[in-house]
Amino acid sequence: MGYDKENARKEDCMRPLYDCALFQGLPEADLHAALRFFAAQERACPRGALLKAAPAPLHAFGLVLDGRVRVSMTDIDGREMLLSQVGAGQTFGEALCYLQSGTPIIISAASDASILWLRCEGLRRPPQTELEALLQQRFTAMLARRTLQMNDRIQILSRAGIREKLMAFFTECARDAGSSAFDIPFDRAGMAAYLGVDRSALSRMLSQLQAQGVLRYRKNHFELLGGG
């Protein structure tokens, strides 16, 4: 009786869905109806698989069930600009899918990944049920949050030096985590690409900040100490 391995496996499979803002708190019957509304299809993607090339449009947006997805673009000098790295329970490509226009965005699997692809057609028609109205409201809220995240990114990139970019980035990470200690979703190369700085210079600055008592870190775990 009670909780068994099958229930545990089912809960693990469902967790990324309920971590997504679109589906949080939905009863199971409504969740299945919501997946039908988005014509959801799960696909396995090996590491390095190209999920969207530039400048192709995106016909469905993705919810990462397992693994990581990399969203980037190339600047006019041919350098990669990392826009985001998306993990389990997070989505990517919502605006690209809804607008259905070609963009220079490149999306690829940063690791072996399982992606739930969700289509936007139902969002473009008047809602037929209360659930459809709720899903449209939640999708709009997701787009609004994405706009705020892009504004945060602009604030970081507008800083003049590596130290200033790092401190702006870490301040936002601490704010989002609600703690001075937090993990970031990047390795050093990814962090350098995200901040638009040289990797070696980034590593030197991190070492300086730690020596000055401004922060403490190990791999991708950081803690702001308030020194310096």
Side-chain angles (χ1 to χ4, degrees):
M1 290 182 64
Y3 195 77
D4 56 22
K5 290 183 179 180
E6 180 61 26
N7 288 331
R9 189 192 68 80
K10 181 178 179 182
E11 183 175 297
D12 288 342
C13 292
M14 300 290 278
R15 186 173 293 117
L17 290 173
Y18 284 121
D19 285 343
C20 175
L22 277 174
F23 305 123
Q24 284 176 357
L26 292 182
E28 189 169 345
D30 283 352
L31 175 62
H32 290 301
L35 294 176
R36 291 192 297 272
F37 174 77
F38 286 110
Q41 291 188 325
E42 184 177 350
R43 294 285 186 270
C45 304
R47 179 178 181 178
L50 185 63
L51 309 182
K52 179 201 173 298
L58 190 65
H59 298 295
F61 67 100
L63 166 59
V64 180
L65 299 177
D66 186 54
R68 292 174 289 112
V69 165
R70 185 181 184 91
V71 182
S72 63
M73 64 184 297
T74 302
D75 67 17
I76 58 175
D77 296 321
R79 295 172 301 189
E80 181 194 29
M81 296 175 58
L82 179 61
L83 302 180
S84 64
Q85 188 152 273
V86 185
Q90 298 177 313
T91 57
F92 60 90
E94 305 96 323
L96 303 181
C97 173
Y98 190 82
L99 294 174
Q100 283 291 283
S101 58
T103 68
I105 302 298
I106 301 167
I107 304 175
S108 60
S111 68
D112 291 345
S114 178
I115 309 297
L116 190 68
W117 290 104
L118 306 165
R119 299 187 68 89
C120 287
E121 284 80 358
L123 297 168
R124 300 190 182 95
R125 63 172 185 255
Q128 304 297 309
T129 65
E130 290 185 6
L131 176 61
E132 290 186 5
L134 175 64
L135 293 173
Q136 290 187 357
Q137 292 168 7
R138 289 186 173 187
F139 185 83
T140 300
M142 287 173 62
L143 294 181
R145 284 193 292 272
R146 193 71 73 196
T147 299
L148 293 176
Q149 290 168 358
M150 291 305 298
N151 182 66
D152 288 344
R153 180 75 187 284
I154 291 169
Q155 293 299 318
I156 293 171
L157 293 177
S158 66
R159 303 302 172 99
I162 297 178
R163 182 188 181 105
E164 290 77 13
K165 291 179 191 288
L166 275 171
M167 294 311 298
F169 174 58
F170 289 146
T171 298
E172 290 179 4
C173 290
R175 179 200 64 196
D176 293 342
S179 170
S180 60
F182 49 85
D183 293 328
I184 65 170
F186 310 120
D187 58 16
R188 294 296 177 268
M191 189 191 303
Y194 185 79
L195 297 175
V197 301
D198 177 77
R199 179 178 177 177
S200 297
L202 171 69
S203 296
R204 288 195 297 272
M205 181 55 67
L206 287 173
S207 296
Q208 288 179 25
L209 291 172
Q210 182 159 253
Q212 294 167 2
V214 176
L215 58 83
R216 179 166 51 226
Y217 66 91
R218 184 175 183 274
K219 295 185 178 180
N220 69 334
H221 181 77
F222 290 80
E223 182 180 1
L224 294 178
L225 303 177

